[in-house]
Amino acid sequence: MAKRFNFEYMICDQPDDELFQKQCAAFEKKFPEIRKENILEDVDGSSYQTYHHTDGDFVVSNDYNIGCLYVESDFDLIPYFE
């Protein structure tokens, strides 16, 4: 069963490999203490980067099946980027 997250943010209404890399880099710069797992790549070209933060987990998804780039999180990420 897939994990359920409390927050979801659409970054782009279509998958974008370059923007996925930039979004991951932005999180890694903003949260230098986070632990990241290896990027998971699906057969359809989708990529998923999971991070572990002291406040919870979050995942950056570049999803070709759904057709968008989005982030799911256990905690609200907006205050960190205001």
Side-chain angles (χ1 to χ4, degrees):
M1 183 152 125
K3 179 175 180 168
R4 294 189 183 264
F5 291 94
N6 296 324
F7 298 90
E8 186 171 308
Y9 311 92
M10 183 183 294
I11 307 302
C12 186
D13 64 357
Q14 59 189 1
D16 185 314
D17 296 332
E18 185 177 332
L19 191 54
F20 171 78
Q21 293 297 328
K22 288 180 180 181
Q23 184 64 64
C24 291
F27 280 125
E28 291 166 21
K29 182 177 180 181
K30 188 68 173 178
F31 302 114
E33 74 283 359
I34 59 174
R35 288 183 306 109
K36 66 179 183 176
E37 294 183 9
N38 292 331
I39 292 177
L40 298 177
E41 295 182 2
D42 203 342
V43 295
D44 67 0
S46 298
S47 299
Y48 306 92
Q49 178 64 70
T50 300
Y51 294 99
H52 304 284
H53 184 273
T54 55
D55 291 335
D57 299 335
F58 58 95
V59 178
V60 180
S61 301
N62 191 40
D63 197 317
Y64 281 89
N65 185 42
I66 293 176
C68 65
L69 173 63
Y70 62 96
V71 177
E72 294 176 295
S73 178
D74 287 333
F75 60 101
D76 189 4
L77 295 168
I78 296 297
Y80 293 97
F81 287 92
E82 291 182 332

